[in-house]
Amino acid sequence: MTDTNYTGLPTVLIDLDNTILNFDIAERTALSAAFSHYGLEPTDEILSLYSSINRRYWEMLELGEISREALLVGRFVELFERIGCSAPAIDVESFYENRLASGHWFMPGAEELLEAMNGKYRLFMCSNGNARVQDGRIASSGIGHYFEDIFISERIGFDKPDPRYFKACFDRIPGFDRSRCIMVGDSLSSDIRGGINAGVLTCWYNPAALPRNTEIIPDYEISSLDQLLLLLRKIFC
């Protein structure tokens, strides 16, 4: 992480998974390896069912309905119960996380974006991911030096979109100016709702052209990361 003093520059809070690094590819690769290791064929049907269950568990975490520990193992417990598999959920989860932490794939334009923003904006990472996994992926990708600080919810003690998560982040940013800050991410429910709750500008990264949730309305929307630079220049000119 950089120790440069960028006080006075606009602050960009940016999500990691499916914003900077492609989590979908990493997840599928790690799941396939874990399932195969424990004798379960990683068919498209099983991987799709896992993704559906996993998405619901993360939504419950964002709403404060379950703990992170319940999420990590519970998603595999439910999957195996539904498909009649006797694989040990705890062991599969551990194997999966080890594989997930060991590699990375960039989203299109992410490397170029980070390099272009370097020194022009105060850049902070805001992630709800598992700390051990995110540490591994950040190290593997070599992007840590672009960020003034990295805020992983497991270490912060709260998850996006909880306002307490953002308050804790803001408290760690010297000279923080809420009026010159924007939250950028692919998730309406955690990144955009969280930014709105925190009283900062929001930008929804929506490369798949998903329909907008009428209850969560971002200030801005982009379909590619190269659009973010132009947007930032317009906002903070």
Side-chain angles (χ1 to χ4, degrees):
M1 291 175 284
T2 179
D3 59 1
T4 304
N5 183 358
Y6 289 151
T7 301
L9 296 179
T11 297
V12 178
L13 312 175
I14 192 163
D15 178 49
L16 179 65
D17 291 329
N18 285 336
T19 302
I20 296 299
L21 297 183
N22 190 317
F23 182 79
D24 292 341
I25 295 177
E27 177 188 59
R28 187 179 186 90
T29 302
L31 279 174
S32 296
F35 289 163
S36 297
H37 183 78
Y38 285 93
L40 177 63
E41 183 180 358
T43 64
D44 288 342
E45 182 180 5
I46 289 176
L47 292 172
S48 178
L49 177 58
Y50 169 85
S51 292
S52 176
I53 294 170
N54 183 56
R55 189 179 310 113
R56 178 164 49 81
Y57 272 67
W58 277 103
E59 289 171 353
M60 289 190 291
L61 180 73
E62 291 170 5
L63 294 171
E65 296 175 351
I66 61 172
S67 67
R68 181 174 295 273
E69 292 72 21
L71 180 156
L72 295 177
V73 178
R75 54 191 175 177
F76 288 103
V77 170
E78 180 173 336
L79 173 67
F80 295 158
E81 288 177 348
R82 290 177 62 173
I83 65 176
C85 174
S86 60
I90 293 178
D91 294 340
V92 174
E93 196 281 329
S94 179
F95 188 101
Y96 162 70
E97 282 201 356
N98 285 335
R99 283 299 179 92
L100 191 61
S102 64
H104 69 276
W105 288 262
F106 281 102
M107 294 297 289
E111 292 174 279
E112 295 82 358
L113 173 68
L114 292 175
E115 185 60 32
M117 288 197 295
N118 191 32
K120 299 179 179 66
Y121 300 92
R122 303 185 70 185
L123 190 59
F124 297 86
M125 183 187 298
C126 294
S127 173
N128 268 0
N130 177 279
R132 180 168 66 88
V133 169
Q134 301 304 55
D135 287 346
R137 298 174 73 226
I138 292 167
S140 173
S141 61
I143 61 175
H145 68 281
Y146 288 112
F147 297 90
E148 194 172 332
D149 206 344
I150 293 174
F151 304 130
I152 297 177
S153 61
E154 186 176 5
R155 295 193 175 109
I156 293 294
F158 303 101
D159 300 289
K160 296 179 294 183
D162 193 323
R164 292 173 295 180
Y165 168 86
F166 287 92
K167 182 182 184 305
C169 294
F170 298 164
D171 287 346
R172 285 173 49 174
I173 301 176
F176 176 70
D177 183 351
R178 195 183 303 263
S179 69
R180 289 175 59 76
C181 176
I182 187 168
M183 175 72 217
V184 181
D186 69 296
S187 172
L188 284 174
S189 61
S190 64
D191 301 317
I192 305 309
R193 187 190 294 278
I196 292 171
N197 290 345
V200 299
L201 293 173
T202 58
C203 176
W204 184 30
Y205 173 47
N206 184 21
L210 299 173
R212 181 178 293 190
N213 184 327
T214 56
E215 295 181 358
I216 307 173
I217 302 176
D219 294 291
Y220 304 96
E221 180 178 337
I222 57 174
S223 58
S224 63
L225 291 178
D226 61 348
Q227 296 173 346
L228 182 59
L229 282 175
L230 297 175
L231 177 63
L232 293 175
R233 291 170 187 152
K234 179 181 178 181
I235 297 172
F236 300 115
C237 60

